[in-house]
Amino acid sequence: MSKPDAVEPATVHNAMNPDETPELRQLYADFEAGHMMPLWTQIGNLMPKHPMPRAVPHIWKWSDLYPLAKRSGDLVPVGRGGERRAIGLGNPGLEGRPYISPTLWCAIQYLGPRETAPEHRHAQNAFRFVIEGEGVWTVVNGDPVRMSRGDLLLTPGWNFHGHQNVTDKPMAWIDGLDIPFSYQNDVGFFEFGSEKLTDITTPQYSRGERLWCHPGLRPLSGLANTVSSPIGAYRWEHTDRALAEQLKLEEEGYPGVLEKGHAAVRFVNPTTGGDIMSTLRAEFHRLRAGAVSAERREVGSRVFQVFEGKGCVVLDGVSRILEKGDLFVIPSWISWSLQAESQFDLFSFSDAPIMERLNFDRTMINGQLS
Amino acid sequence: MSKPDAVEPATVHNAMNPDETPELRQLYADFEAGHMMPLWTQIGNLMPKHPMPRAVPHIWKWSDLYPLAKRSGDLVPVGRGGERRAIGLGNPGLEGRPYISPTLWCAIQYLGPRETAPEHRHAQNAFRFVIEGEGVWTVVNGDPVRMSRGDLLLTPGWNFHGHQNVTDKPMAWIDGLDIPFSYQNDVGFFEFGSEKLTDITTPQYSRGERLWCHPGLRPLSGLANTVSSPIGAYRWEHTDRALAEQLKLEEEGYPGVLEKGHAAVRFVNPTTGGDIMSTLRAEFHRLRAGAVSAERREVGSRVFQVFEGKGCVVLDGVSRILEKGDLFVIPSWISWSLQAESQFDLFSFSDAPIMERLNFDRTMINGQLS
Amino acid sequence: MSKPDAVEPATVHNAMNPDETPELRQLYADFEAGHMMPLWTQIGNLMPKHPMPRAVPHIWKWSDLYPLAKRSGDLVPVGRGGERRAIGLGNPGLEGRPYISPTLWCAIQYLGPRETAPEHRHAQNAFRFVIEGEGVWTVVNGDPVRMSRGDLLLTPGWNFHGHQNVTDKPMAWIDGLDIPFSYQNDVGFFEFGSEKLTDITTPQYSRGERLWCHPGLRPLSGLANTVSSPIGAYRWEHTDRALAEQLKLEEEGYPGVLEKGHAAVRFVNPTTGGDIMSTLRAEFHRLRAGAVSAERREVGSRVFQVFEGKGCVVLDGVSRILEKGDLFVIPSWISWSLQAESQFDLFSFSDAPIMERLNFDRTMINGQLS
Amino acid sequence: MSKPDAVEPATVHNAMNPDETPELRQLYADFEAGHMMPLWTQIGNLMPKHPMPRAVPHIWKWSDLYPLAKRSGDLVPVGRGGERRAIGLGNPGLEGRPYISPTLWCAIQYLGPRETAPEHRHAQNAFRFVIEGEGVWTVVNGDPVRMSRGDLLLTPGWNFHGHQNVTDKPMAWIDGLDIPFSYQNDVGFFEFGSEKLTDITTPQYSRGERLWCHPGLRPLSGLANTVSSPIGAYRWEHTDRALAEQLKLEEEGYPGVLEKGHAAVRFVNPTTGGDIMSTLRAEFHRLRAGAVSAERREVGSRVFQVFEGKGCVVLDGVSRILEKGDLFVIPSWISWSLQAESQFDLFSFSDAPIMERLNFDRTMINGQLS
């Protein structure tokens, strides 16, 4: 598409700004009475030159989050009605809403020794990522799924799920959901399930994994494609090995890494090769010590959590130091780059499937549209 | 999926509601300071049993809208900066935002005699629908498109477009866009184009129509599928004929209508058979005099404009009378049914492609999930 | 893919050609007894450097075909068992099989005054194209479809169909099917239907057309995609207009034609924008007087019939004169180019959907892979 | 689709069979001279009521095949020109062609100690399956792939590939290709590559595996979908475990097996979840001792090789005993059922992707269309 005679918006005078007269005042009053609003006074705000998110880049320190979650464990029982001892991270730019971005919910969830979070289901898609600890099983549509360090666990929309801690130690993890998107667009349904878990066994591997986690193999009993991944748990042992192999291939001089010193995998639905759920993308990134990722801007919002190692992120030109467990959000079109001091492992999730399915995705890498 | 031991939410006590103590107060204060918010106090609002839209069903009378648009024409010049003399309909439930629903923008646009609205482009998808009048050409990426009564005109995302009125009479029409969705999710880009139209000719048919509006025929020069429809104008003559044929087939005893006495067509992208644009669906409905449509609930929001005829709509159980030009919005999961007094023609648009692409779509017809 | 150390096959000695010994003779005899055959003696034939079709380019003159069809009409009654008075064109390279190419069947079918060809259905996909005449209705799954000059009529796999001539004049047309492909790969099913047509009315437009032939419009009663096009008849009036518009756009300086002086459309399934049937592609080409098309090679086979005008085709370097009604076949990877003496209209069909769906498609234009 | 007034073909008299007259004889002679053939005399053969394959069910005993392959190794050197010491299985019904079915090629390939089969590439898709032995690496586009017992190795169309045996023992395996389909439809291209292998290293795992064989994980450097699977080797350890898990799940009372006592997996392309290559499907089946599979008929042809265990197959009603290594072919629409005496492991490949992509697939299970 050619760009005929383009003009920079910043330099443009709004020609639709007549002198205020009684007639004009009356017109605007009549608009208001009639539930109408002129575009011409709002267009710059409503339709900016590029995304101008109200959400801001922000970092939550794990060293702050975990103690607060622990105190909740002491003071607030878990149970029906409140459903989960989950504390949402609220973007400072989003006016007191518990949204880490306009589309994404991210919370730390805490389950004390021997506690159970009752079963329910909802249209909202959800996952859990475990930064540390063990001892909890999440039961998804009756299939008990062990939660261990480094694992990604899915509870896709409309699957019943509850959690139980079978140990004498507490456990915490992060939850990611599309609650803000669902709330904003009025798509949510919710239903209570069993108060107690429907299966209290604690197998090493879930049935979903036993059927689906064989690379390149698909059960003949599962030939219909599914909207969400049938894999309930993406185990750290696989993620770690996949990332390590990419870096080894790089050392050997072969393709594999995303960019120099930067290995990365996406968690996918094996029935399609696409994202794990309709609204949420999950990835794992590993940078070698000393590696620096390209500067990226993406339409949509993304969250990272440091899994292991030290480094920093440059967000909108400002460098911030990161340690294990730290969480940060990158709102739409905010530039970001990772820098690794040690080997640097980060889990990431985003709303990219929304952007891609609706054809709003754009990416700029080092200042170039890709 | 079975529903083990389900409990009605309304009857549920929130077990996570401890007595307020100094420790609890301090915990909640520390949450706030740390940009954190507990789920357990908000879950009922954030994750309702079914969509509980803040947007409300509402009707705007054409007899109110048009005079206000005309007064704008007298008082506010059209031009660069404000860009369009478009007056957005603001849902009374959405707190003063110019959104007819959480996802959709709907405006009446007015162009006076010999006026030109300058060219620009934006990531937001847009269409125009003409309830009456003629004399304006919209130029989309350099292709002049006549706008006449009953026509649906597209300006898909990132296509330059401007309008000119070549007559001595004003013209008004409705605009539909995904501005609220784009604004909320920070996906918008915007660029000014030529101040004057890049092509001021006024052909009867646009070049897009001349290439693409031959039923079942695809130019060999256009074999790559396109994200949005390459048809710039869906003409009333075709829409009218398609609807008339459905009703004739019904009279002859053959399939064709959507339901008894109710003909309906969807405007589609001929390269895929799917919706005209990634976020917006457009349809045209015709009911015979006396026909009553089923009661429907849909996830997502929908707008109707009466094109011709008389009837009423039952919105959430309340019947409202409709006349030519009247616009109404149906928020998510609000029940609706149309009743035709005379032959009743209605244009409709919605955010259904968003819901379907993200797998949030659900429809209930006469109380049954379909 | 790089091409390491490539060697021209023509210059290669077969290193696997040992001197014949009694042991070798015995080995080869044992192979034969065991239903085994060595690759090394056959590879050059089985796996040529590029497609080496046994089928040859060939032209059938309409002036030969029609009189023979007429004589069949005098001598052979039409009826159950033989089913159709269709005379297949047999490629001279294909050893007496009634195949115009390895995948395609092409026949002239002749129906005398007041004759009826009984109903049946088969897995094979079929179409008819009418070079001249009128007066026959084909009934497809109970929907009577008028057959007139320039029309393309579909009878997709497993649809019941029969024909009747309601006039006192005979009519002939061409049939295209995937019979050779179906026979070779053992995919065919066949079932007799009604001896008399299930609907003997003779409407101007079929019900399929009345529902589906409105450009860019899809009935809400037909939202499920279909394997084959729901349009039973692609009318000449639309085809002619689409081609004329492309040439007018070219005159006006706008895109639209396939190449200089060469307009072309593909007949498509409106539910997908893809080919009319799973195995058969149909197109219409129009060249201006004096125009010459690029030299093309395609994987798969293609048939043309001259609809109107004069010109010639260069097949594998040999120019051949063409007149109205003449049919010719282009086997796989044979080069072809059209040259128009007058305005030159040609109908074409091919097995391209097979090649594309199985990723065997390759095209070379003027010696370059495209 | 209703079936109006259906008639059984067997009982039908061919009404188009006039008495032979001089005129008729002349007509048929003129047809022949004009390269034309009437449908009415051939329709029963060309368009049977259901697939009537000329190919027949047939079993090749491994105890016959292997010794013959070994003798070839002694008598025929491997090298350029003949390219491969592969001996194709020729279906007894297919008149001396080296085709195991109309679409499929199956051969035993034998590589002596320290031998190398030179590199080449072709449009035809190929795989190898290893019933016993080890010591050979196949190099696919420069990536060396170990071949070991139970492994499935891919060389998709247009990938350069050669093989080397790095041991002092011979090795044999089976090759599966779409040579008959490609030959019949004239889609083949072929190119010689390096005479010596481009990489003679012998790594435990190929680079393709190291990038792609992590369940549910996709490298960010590999986000573009590929026509064929990027996995060069599907290892026995994964296949065995996947099958064992299905049977364990069955014992525990959970879904997973295809049918009672019958576990089965399909080898898939992880970028799409679909078949490994455009024309070839590969599966592995395991039956418990005593299990009997349903009686199936499928459109298209399928080959099985017994990997381990004893049992029999009932082919078109005739039971045949099977032992390790035995190969058998099931032509289109021939009924088949497996019966396991011991635990019974079988590799299978077929042309099912062709049938499905062209919508010719039909399956009948225990006499019911599924």
Side-chain angles (χ1 to χ4, degrees):
Chain A
M1 278 166 286
S2 65
K3 184 186 158 185
D5 198 7
V7 184
E8 278 305 291
T11 68
V12 167
H13 170 73
N14 188 338
M16 299 179 68
N17 201 3
D19 291 340
E20 204 175 305
T21 59
E23 290 78 8
L24 193 68
R25 267 196 298 274
Q26 185 60 45
L27 177 70
Y28 285 11
D30 290 348
F31 283 165
E32 198 174 337
H35 299 293
M36 297 165 73
M37 269 151 276
L39 175 63
W40 57 87
T41 61
Q42 311 199 22
I43 186 169
N45 177 35
L46 278 176
M47 304 180 83
K49 192 182 161 196
H50 57 71
M52 301 280 274
R54 287 133 293 164
V56 296
H58 190 77
I59 298 181
W60 289 259
K61 305 293 292 176
W62 189 246
S63 54
D64 294 334
L65 294 176
Y66 188 83
L68 277 166
K70 191 171 180 335
R71 281 165 57 197
S72 309
D74 298 335
L75 296 174
V76 182
V78 73
R80 181 60 85 218
E83 302 292 302
R84 299 292 185 259
R85 196 186 291 106
I87 310 153
L89 310 191
N91 192 293
L94 293 178
E95 307 152 19
R97 304 294 303 171
Y99 300 168
I100 199 164
S101 86
T103 51
L104 300 173
W105 163 277
C106 182
I108 177 169
Q109 185 170 162
Y110 184 91
L111 203 60
R114 307 291 164 188
E115 281 189 332
T116 294
E119 295 195 354
H120 61 217
R121 67 176 175 181
H122 39 71
Q124 290 86 350
N125 294 292
F127 70 82
R128 341 227 156 265
F129 178 71
V130 181
I131 185 86
E132 62 187 11
E134 60 185 348
V136 170
W137 267 253
T138 179
V139 178
V140 183
N141 269 340
D143 188 8
V145 184
R146 171 177 52 89
M147 296 176 65
S148 299
R149 171 170 157 73
D151 295 346
L152 172 71
L153 303 317
L154 305 191
T155 49
W158 217 233
N159 283 246
F160 277 111
H161 56 282
H163 321 305
Q164 67 167 340
N165 186 339
V166 300
T167 74
D168 294 323
K169 289 189 179 165
M171 184 175 169
W173 61 84
I174 66 162
D175 288 345
L177 290 96
D178 51 21
I179 291 175
F181 184 88
S182 298
Y183 178 77
Q184 195 61 37
N185 297 298
D186 300 316
V187 306
F189 291 82
F190 185 96
E191 196 170 63
F192 291 116
S194 170
E195 195 106 6
K196 294 174 184 167
L197 295 199
T198 47
D199 187 332
I200 58 165
T201 63
T202 57
Q204 186 70 358
Y205 294 105
S206 62
R207 301 195 301 270
E209 290 169 85
R210 291 165 63 193
L211 264 180
W212 284 99
C213 283
H214 311 282
L217 299 176
R218 188 166 180 166
L220 258 70
S221 56
L223 294 180
N225 287 358
T226 52
V227 162
S228 303
S229 174
I231 299 177
Y234 293 78
R235 298 294 174 195
W236 173 241
E237 66 204 65
H238 299 135
T239 307
D240 183 39
R241 197 179 305 137
L243 295 166
E245 287 288 8
Q246 287 187 18
L247 292 177
K248 273 189 233 157
L249 283 165
E250 185 186 34
E251 282 163 20
E252 298 167 19
Y254 292 110
V257 292
L258 176 60
E259 56 188 343
K260 188 163 181 297
H262 181 179
V265 290
R266 185 170 296 169
F267 300 93
V268 295
N269 176 347
T271 74
T272 63
D275 282 297
I276 44 173
M277 296 184 287
S278 302
T279 53
L280 298 173
R281 171 165 297 167
E283 296 178 347
F284 212 103
H285 293 252
R286 171 173 291 172
L287 282 81
R288 290 182 198 282
V292 178
S293 76
E295 188 201 64
R296 282 179 170 77
R297 289 177 194 272
E298 299 158 322
V299 169
S301 45
R302 184 194 271 268
V303 174
F304 275 100
Q305 184 177 31
V306 178
F307 181 66
E308 200 64 79
K310 281 193 181 171
C312 63
V313 60
V314 183
L315 282 167
D316 209 9
V318 180
S319 180
R320 314 197 195 194
I321 292 174
L322 298 167
E323 292 172 308
K324 179 175 167 177
D326 291 353
L327 280 147
F328 60 97
V329 61
I330 308 168
S332 188
W333 214 238
I334 297 295
S335 69
W336 61 276
S337 170
L338 298 168
Q339 304 181 343
E341 191 178 328
S342 66
Q343 178 170 304
F344 200 29
D345 280 9
L346 302 102
F347 170 76
S348 174
F349 71 100
S350 74
D351 58 13
I354 299 176
M355 301 307 147
E356 292 184 3
R357 289 170 186 221
L358 304 181
N359 301 107
F360 285 124
D361 57 308
R362 285 198 200 187
T363 301
M364 191 173 268
I365 301 183
N366 291 334
Q368 299 292 317
L369 281 176
S370 72
Chain B
M1 280 166 285
S2 66
K3 184 186 158 187
D5 199 9
V7 184
E8 278 304 291
T11 68
V12 167
H13 170 71
N14 188 338
M16 298 180 69
N17 201 2
D19 290 341
E20 202 175 304
T21 59
E23 290 78 8
L24 193 67
R25 267 196 299 271
Q26 186 59 44
L27 177 68
Y28 285 9
D30 290 349
F31 282 165
E32 198 174 338
H35 298 294
M36 298 165 71
M37 269 151 275
L39 176 62
W40 57 86
T41 60
Q42 312 200 22
I43 187 170
N45 177 35
L46 277 176
M47 304 180 83
K49 194 184 161 195
H50 58 71
M52 301 279 274
R54 287 132 293 164
V56 296
H58 191 77
I59 298 180
W60 288 260
K61 304 294 291 176
W62 189 247
S63 54
D64 294 334
L65 293 176
Y66 188 83
L68 278 165
K70 190 169 182 336
R71 282 166 56 197
S72 308
D74 297 336
L75 296 174
V76 182
V78 73
R80 181 61 84 215
E83 302 292 300
R84 299 291 185 261
R85 196 185 291 107
I87 310 153
L89 311 191
N91 192 294
L94 293 178
E95 305 153 21
R97 306 291 302 168
Y99 302 167
I100 199 164
S101 86
T103 51
L104 300 174
W105 163 276
C106 181
I108 177 169
Q109 186 171 161
Y110 185 90
L111 203 59
R114 306 293 164 187
E115 280 190 332
T116 293
E119 296 197 352
H120 61 217
R121 67 176 176 180
H122 39 70
Q124 290 85 351
N125 295 291
F127 70 81
R128 342 230 153 263
F129 177 71
V130 181
I131 185 85
E132 62 187 12
E134 61 185 345
V136 171
W137 268 253
T138 178
V139 179
V140 183
N141 270 338
D143 188 9
V145 184
R146 172 177 51 91
M147 296 174 66
S148 299
R149 172 171 156 74
D151 296 345
L152 172 70
L153 304 316
L154 305 191
T155 50
W158 217 235
N159 282 246
F160 277 110
H161 56 282
H163 320 305
Q164 67 167 341
N165 185 339
V166 300
T167 72
D168 294 323
K169 290 187 178 167
M171 183 176 170
W173 60 85
I174 67 162
D175 288 344
L177 291 95
D178 51 21
I179 291 175
F181 185 88
S182 298
Y183 178 78
Q184 194 62 38
N185 298 297
D186 300 317
V187 305
F189 291 82
F190 184 95
E191 198 170 63
F192 291 116
S194 170
E195 195 106 5
K196 293 173 185 169
L197 295 198
T198 46
D199 188 332
I200 58 165
T201 62
T202 57
Q204 184 71 356
Y205 293 105
S206 62
R207 301 196 298 270
E209 291 169 84
R210 290 166 62 193
L211 263 180
W212 283 99
C213 283
H214 310 282
L217 299 177
R218 188 166 179 166
L220 259 69
S221 56
L223 295 180
N225 286 358
T226 52
V227 162
S228 302
S229 174
I231 299 178
Y234 294 76
R235 297 292 174 197
W236 173 242
E237 67 203 65
H238 299 136
T239 307
D240 182 40
R241 197 180 305 139
L243 295 166
E245 288 287 6
Q246 287 187 18
L247 292 177
K248 273 189 234 156
L249 283 165
E250 186 186 34
E251 281 163 21
E252 298 167 19
Y254 292 110
V257 291
L258 176 60
E259 56 189 343
K260 189 165 181 298
H262 181 180
V265 290
R266 185 170 296 168
F267 300 92
V268 295
N269 175 347
T271 74
T272 62
D275 281 297
I276 43 171
M277 298 184 286
S278 302
T279 53
L280 297 173
R281 171 166 297 166
E283 296 177 348
F284 212 103
H285 293 252
R286 171 174 292 173
L287 282 81
R288 290 183 197 282
V292 178
S293 76
E295 188 201 64
R296 283 179 171 77
R297 288 177 194 272
E298 299 158 320
V299 169
S301 45
R302 184 195 270 268
V303 174
F304 275 100
Q305 184 176 30
V306 177
F307 181 68
E308 199 65 78
K310 282 194 182 170
C312 62
V313 60
V314 183
L315 282 166
D316 209 10
V318 180
S319 181
R320 314 196 195 195
I321 293 173
L322 297 167
E323 294 171 307
K324 179 175 167 177
D326 291 353
L327 280 147
F328 60 96
V329 61
I330 309 169
S332 189
W333 214 239
I334 297 295
S335 69
W336 61 276
S337 170
L338 299 169
Q339 303 181 344
E341 192 179 327
S342 67
Q343 177 169 305
F344 199 28
D345 280 8
L346 301 100
F347 170 76
S348 173
F349 71 100
S350 74
D351 58 13
I354 298 176
M355 301 307 147
E356 292 184 3
R357 288 170 187 221
L358 304 180
N359 300 109
F360 285 124
D361 56 306
R362 285 197 200 188
T363 300
M364 190 173 267
I365 301 184
N366 291 333
Q368 299 292 317
L369 280 177
S370 71
Chain C
M1 279 166 285
S2 65
K3 185 185 158 188
D5 199 7
V7 184
E8 278 305 290
T11 68
V12 167
H13 170 72
N14 188 339
M16 299 181 67
N17 200 4
D19 291 341
E20 202 174 305
T21 60
E23 290 80 7
L24 193 69
R25 268 197 298 273
Q26 186 59 45
L27 178 69
Y28 285 9
D30 290 349
F31 281 165
E32 197 174 339
H35 298 295
M36 296 164 72
M37 269 151 275
L39 175 63
W40 57 87
T41 60
Q42 311 199 24
I43 187 170
N45 177 34
L46 278 176
M47 303 179 83
K49 193 184 161 196
H50 57 70
M52 301 279 275
R54 287 133 292 163
V56 296
H58 190 77
I59 298 181
W60 288 260
K61 304 294 292 176
W62 190 246
S63 55
D64 294 335
L65 293 176
Y66 188 82
L68 278 165
K70 191 171 181 337
R71 280 166 57 198
S72 309
D74 296 336
L75 296 174
V76 182
V78 74
R80 180 60 84 217
E83 301 292 302
R84 299 291 185 261
R85 196 185 290 107
I87 310 153
L89 310 191
N91 191 293
L94 293 178
E95 307 152 18
R97 305 291 303 169
Y99 300 167
I100 199 163
S101 87
T103 51
L104 300 174
W105 163 278
C106 181
I108 177 170
Q109 185 169 161
Y110 185 91
L111 204 59
R114 307 290 164 189
E115 280 189 333
T116 293
E119 294 196 356
H120 61 216
R121 66 176 175 180
H122 39 70
Q124 289 85 351
N125 294 293
F127 70 82
R128 342 228 154 263
F129 178 71
V130 181
I131 185 85
E132 61 187 12
E134 61 185 346
V136 171
W137 267 254
T138 179
V139 178
V140 183
N141 271 337
D143 188 10
V145 184
R146 172 177 52 91
M147 296 174 66
S148 300
R149 171 170 157 75
D151 295 345
L152 172 71
L153 304 316
L154 305 192
T155 50
W158 217 234
N159 282 246
F160 278 111
H161 56 282
H163 319 305
Q164 67 168 340
N165 185 339
V166 301
T167 73
D168 293 323
K169 290 190 177 164
M171 183 175 168
W173 60 85
I174 67 162
D175 288 345
L177 291 95
D178 51 21
I179 291 175
F181 184 89
S182 298
Y183 178 78
Q184 194 62 36
N185 298 296
D186 300 317
V187 305
F189 290 82
F190 184 94
E191 197 170 63
F192 291 117
S194 170
E195 195 105 7
K196 293 174 184 166
L197 295 199
T198 46
D199 187 332
I200 57 164
T201 62
T202 56
Q204 184 71 356
Y205 293 105
S206 62
R207 300 195 298 271
E209 290 169 86
R210 291 165 62 192
L211 262 181
W212 283 98
C213 283
H214 310 282
L217 299 177
R218 187 166 182 167
L220 258 69
S221 56
L223 294 180
N225 286 358
T226 53
V227 163
S228 303
S229 174
I231 299 178
Y234 293 76
R235 298 293 174 196
W236 172 242
E237 66 204 64
H238 299 134
T239 307
D240 182 40
R241 196 179 306 139
L243 295 166
E245 288 287 6
Q246 287 187 19
L247 292 177
K248 272 189 234 159
L249 282 165
E250 186 186 33
E251 281 162 22
E252 297 167 21
Y254 293 111
V257 293
L258 176 60
E259 56 189 345
K260 189 166 181 297
H262 181 179
V265 291
R266 183 170 297 168
F267 299 92
V268 295
N269 176 347
T271 74
T272 63
D275 282 296
I276 43 173
M277 297 184 287
S278 302
T279 54
L280 298 173
R281 171 166 297 168
E283 295 177 350
F284 212 103
H285 293 252
R286 171 173 293 171
L287 282 80
R288 290 182 198 281
V292 178
S293 76
E295 188 201 63
R296 283 180 170 75
R297 290 177 193 271
E298 300 158 320
V299 169
S301 44
R302 185 195 270 268
V303 174
F304 274 100
Q305 184 176 32
V306 177
F307 181 68
E308 199 65 77
K310 281 192 180 171
C312 64
V313 60
V314 183
L315 283 166
D316 210 9
V318 180
S319 181
R320 315 196 194 195
I321 292 174
L322 298 168
E323 293 172 307
K324 180 175 167 177
D326 291 352
L327 281 146
F328 60 96
V329 61
I330 308 169
S332 189
W333 214 238
I334 297 295
S335 69
W336 61 276
S337 171
L338 299 169
Q339 304 181 344
E341 192 178 326
S342 67
Q343 177 170 305
F344 199 29
D345 279 7
L346 301 101
F347 171 75
S348 173
F349 71 100
S350 74
D351 58 14
I354 299 176
M355 301 307 148
E356 292 184 3
R357 288 171 187 220
L358 303 180
N359 300 108
F360 285 124
D361 57 308
R362 284 198 202 187
T363 301
M364 191 174 267
I365 300 183
N366 292 334
Q368 300 293 316
L369 281 176
S370 71
Chain D
M1 279 166 286
S2 65
K3 185 184 157 187
D5 198 6
V7 184
E8 278 304 290
T11 68
V12 168
H13 170 71
N14 188 337
M16 299 180 67
N17 201 3
D19 291 340
E20 201 174 305
T21 59
E23 290 79 7
L24 193 68
R25 268 197 299 272
Q26 186 59 45
L27 177 68
Y28 284 11
D30 290 347
F31 281 164
E32 199 174 337
H35 298 294
M36 297 165 71
M37 268 152 277
L39 176 63
W40 56 86
T41 61
Q42 311 199 24
I43 187 169
N45 177 35
L46 277 177
M47 304 180 84
K49 192 183 161 196
H50 57 71
M52 301 280 275
R54 287 132 291 163
V56 295
H58 190 77
I59 297 181
W60 289 260
K61 304 294 292 177
W62 189 247
S63 54
D64 295 334
L65 293 176
Y66 188 83
L68 278 165
K70 192 172 180 337
R71 283 165 57 197
S72 310
D74 297 335
L75 296 173
V76 182
V78 75
R80 180 61 84 217
E83 302 291 304
R84 299 292 185 259
R85 196 186 290 106
I87 310 153
L89 310 190
N91 191 294
L94 293 179
E95 307 151 19
R97 303 292 303 170
Y99 300 166
I100 199 163
S101 87
T103 51
L104 300 174
W105 162 275
C106 181
I108 177 170
Q109 184 170 162
Y110 185 90
L111 203 60
R114 306 291 164 188
E115 280 189 334
T116 293
E119 295 195 354
H120 61 217
R121 67 176 175 180
H122 39 71
Q124 289 86 351
N125 294 292
F127 69 81
R128 342 229 154 262
F129 177 72
V130 181
I131 184 86
E132 60 188 12
E134 60 185 347
V136 170
W137 268 253
T138 180
V139 179
V140 183
N141 270 339
D143 189 9
V145 183
R146 172 176 53 89
M147 296 175 66
S148 300
R149 172 171 158 73
D151 295 346
L152 172 71
L153 303 318
L154 306 191
T155 50
W158 217 234
N159 282 245
F160 278 110
H161 56 282
H163 320 306
Q164 68 167 339
N165 185 337
V166 300
T167 74
D168 294 324
K169 290 188 178 166
M171 184 176 169
W173 61 85
I174 67 161
D175 288 345
L177 289 95
D178 51 21
I179 291 176
F181 184 88
S182 298
Y183 178 77
Q184 194 62 37
N185 297 299
D186 300 316
V187 305
F189 291 82
F190 185 95
E191 196 170 62
F192 291 117
S194 170
E195 195 106 6
K196 294 173 184 166
L197 295 200
T198 45
D199 187 332
I200 58 165
T201 62
T202 56
Q204 185 70 357
Y205 294 105
S206 62
R207 300 195 300 270
E209 290 169 86
R210 291 165 62 194
L211 263 181
W212 283 98
C213 283
H214 310 282
L217 299 177
R218 187 166 182 165
L220 258 69
S221 56
L223 294 180
N225 287 359
T226 53
V227 162
S228 303
S229 174
I231 298 178
Y234 293 78
R235 298 294 173 195
W236 173 241
E237 67 203 66
H238 299 135
T239 307
D240 183 40
R241 196 179 306 138
L243 296 166
E245 287 288 5
Q246 286 187 18
L247 293 176
K248 273 188 235 158
L249 283 165
E250 185 186 34
E251 282 163 20
E252 298 167 18
Y254 293 110
V257 293
L258 177 59
E259 57 188 344
K260 190 165 181 296
H262 182 180
V265 289
R266 185 170 296 168
F267 300 93
V268 295
N269 176 348
T271 73
T272 63
D275 282 296
I276 44 173
M277 297 184 288
S278 302
T279 53
L280 298 173
R281 172 166 296 169
E283 296 178 348
F284 211 104
H285 292 251
R286 172 172 291 172
L287 282 81
R288 291 181 196 282
V292 178
S293 77
E295 188 200 65
R296 283 180 172 75
R297 289 178 194 272
E298 300 158 321
V299 169
S301 44
R302 185 195 269 268
V303 174
F304 275 100
Q305 184 176 31
V306 178
F307 181 68
E308 200 64 80
K310 282 192 180 172
C312 63
V313 60
V314 183
L315 282 167
D316 209 11
V318 180
S319 180
R320 316 199 194 193
I321 292 173
L322 297 168
E323 293 172 309
K324 180 176 166 176
D326 291 352
L327 280 146
F328 60 96
V329 61
I330 308 168
S332 189
W333 214 238
I334 297 295
S335 69
W336 62 276
S337 171
L338 298 169
Q339 303 180 345
E341 191 178 327
S342 67
Q343 177 170 304
F344 200 28
D345 279 8
L346 302 100
F347 171 76
S348 174
F349 71 100
S350 74
D351 58 13
I354 299 175
M355 301 308 148
E356 292 183 3
R357 289 172 187 220
L358 303 181
N359 300 107
F360 285 125
D361 57 307
R362 283 198 201 187
T363 301
M364 191 173 267
I365 300 183
N366 291 333
Q368 299 293 316
L369 281 176
S370 72

